[in-house]
Amino acid sequence: MDAKEYSRIADEALEMQRYLEITCSDNPVEVVERLKKLNVYQARAGFLLAKSKAIYNSKRSSEIAIIVVEIAKQNFLSAKAQNALVDSIAGDEGFLVDWLDRICAAIVHQQDVLRSILSYEKENLRLNNTGY
């Protein structure tokens, strides 16, 4: 996996993050449109999360990581210190994995809230039309 692919995934994650930070009104038409877009983002975010995990795992198991572990072993560093060295090599990739995981969770939560808003508006409409 190359730096360009990492950059493309990060750019797409940023686009999703910005969309998730937009406040949605309680207008049912806007809510439905947002749900539609979130459904697409949900599928895409899951795919990007898997890709970012592959990048992260590749970076962690790269030759550089192996060399760092060998150096650490020669200096008698603990396993925890060795893992910290390997993790530091893939710090950005690890951040991307965590970020996409949180984006996936935020999408699900927003979908739930939007469905609740739609149910609330539907009930209000029913009450206003029937009087009870």
Side-chain angles (χ1 to χ4, degrees):
M1 310 275 170
D2 62 8
K4 286 182 183 180
E5 185 173 20
Y6 171 87
S7 181
R8 281 191 298 269
I9 292 171
D11 289 346
E12 219 173 317
L14 183 59
E15 176 188 327
M16 289 179 196
Q17 181 71 40
R18 287 180 177 147
Y19 186 77
L20 290 168
E21 292 175 359
I22 295 171
T23 302
C24 184
S25 75
D26 58 357
N27 177 326
V29 173
E30 184 182 342
V31 170
V32 169
E33 287 305 311
R34 188 171 180 93
L35 274 169
K36 288 178 184 177
K37 188 160 188 171
L38 287 174
N39 286 338
V40 173
Y41 274 164
Q42 184 177 32
R44 186 69 184 154
F47 174 74
L48 293 177
L49 176 59
K51 292 286 283 181
S52 67
K53 284 182 179 182
I55 292 169
Y56 176 69
N57 290 334
S58 175
K59 182 84 174 238
R60 282 190 50 127
S61 64
S62 71
E63 197 168 318
I64 296 170
I66 293 167
I67 291 169
V68 169
V69 169
E70 286 303 315
I71 292 169
K73 284 180 182 176
Q74 291 173 7
N75 291 326
F76 304 105
L77 292 177
S78 68
K80 187 174 182 177
Q82 291 173 34
N83 286 333
L85 286 171
V86 172
D87 287 342
S88 71
I89 290 171
D92 290 341
E93 291 79 4
F95 171 79
L96 185 59
V97 167
D98 291 342
W99 184 21
L100 282 164
D101 183 57
R102 299 316 316 144
I103 285 173
C104 288
I107 288 170
V108 170
H109 294 304
Q110 281 196 19
Q111 288 169 323
D112 289 343
V113 169
L114 292 170
R115 285 188 203 99
S116 295
I117 290 170
L118 280 178
S119 294
Y120 176 80
E121 292 300 323
K122 182 179 176 183
E123 184 64 14
N124 270 346
L125 184 62
R126 186 188 68 79
L127 290 173
N128 288 333
N129 286 340
T130 62
Y132 59 90

